[in-house]
Amino acid sequence: MPRERKSARTRERILAAAAQVLSRKGWAGTRLVDIAEVAAVQAPAVYYYWPSREDLLAEVVTTGQQATLEHVVASLAALPADASALDRIDGAIAAHLEVVLRRSEFSLAAIRNAAQLPDDIRECQLVGQREYADVWRGLVEDAVAAGELTADVDTRAARMLVLGALNWAPEWWNPDRGSLEDVVATTQHVVRRGLTPH
């Protein structure tokens, strides 16, 4: 059992190292030797746990997608039962930014590499992407149905624009130049002002 636990910890360490390297160097620039260095293992040790570099990186992307989805869904579930549709959108904005900017290197790696994935891995990634998009589709459509968003809004465009802005945040946000809380509040303000009736 101790040996199995040590093996599991080594696997987790390699996976975390892969997320760190992938989020910084991208799909094409991520090398096993770099991952092994961060994980403090020999590069061939990676093949004990994954058949290939691609399998390892695909797991990072899948893990990152799932981390984002689970954090946002859990945050929405924790809101009061009488939360308005716009309050729920605010909650999803806060949860998404929190997970990609502070909580999960996996989520960051998944977002930054979505456009770089090989076709076969991209097909698997799209399944998770659609599941997450469904959460946001429901949030926007609920807000329209409740009369909290302007009636003539293109719900698909609204959803894609908001998600695009959220996913771009890691490329420009610098914690030394503004807090996460300020970014969240500003994003919520922009969305409310842009999509609600005046």
Side-chain angles (χ1 to χ4, degrees), residues 8-185:
R9 287 195 300 270
T10 301
R11 188 185 193 282
E12 290 173 4
R13 196 168 71 247
I14 294 171
L15 191 63
Q20 181 180 329
V21 176
L22 182 60
S23 68
R24 287 162 173 71
K25 296 195 173 185
W27 187 274
T30 295
R31 304 179 306 162
L32 286 183
V33 65
D34 298 323
I35 295 170
E37 182 178 351
V38 173
V41 298
Q42 296 296 317
V46 175
Y47 292 110
Y48 177 78
Y49 301 97
W50 291 273
S52 69
R53 166 189 175 275
E54 287 67 27
D55 287 296
L56 168 57
L57 299 188
E59 184 171 341
V60 169
V61 171
T62 301
T63 301
Q65 282 188 304
Q66 195 63 28
T68 304
L69 174 65
E70 289 177 359
H71 185 63
V72 171
V73 169
S75 297
L76 291 172
L79 292 174
D82 60 351
S84 70
L86 275 177
D87 289 340
R88 290 177 60 76
I89 289 175
D90 280 349
I93 288 169
H96 184 106
L97 289 173
E98 183 182 66
V99 75
V100 300
L101 296 181
R102 181 178 285 167
R103 291 175 63 97
S104 175
E105 197 92 49
F106 290 90
S107 295
L108 181 58
I111 286 171
R112 283 187 165 166
N113 289 276
Q116 303 177 36
L117 303 177
D119 290 342
D120 56 335
I121 296 172
R122 174 68 174 161
E123 285 300 313
C124 295
Q125 185 261 353
L126 284 173
V127 174
Q129 186 174 308
R130 292 186 191 108
E131 186 178 1
Y132 189 54
D134 285 342
V135 173
W136 280 89
R137 184 180 296 107
L139 291 170
V140 173
E141 290 177 352
D142 287 349
V144 172
E148 296 179 34
L149 295 190
T150 182
D152 60 352
V153 70
D154 181 333
T155 56
R156 181 180 183 277
R159 172 172 53 85
M160 297 302 289
L161 286 167
V162 172
L163 280 173
L166 295 176
N167 287 338
W168 186 248
E171 303 306 321
W172 59 262
W173 182 63
N174 183 338
D176 296 328
R177 300 181 63 183
S179 70
L180 173 59
E181 292 72 21
D182 286 344
V183 173
V184 169

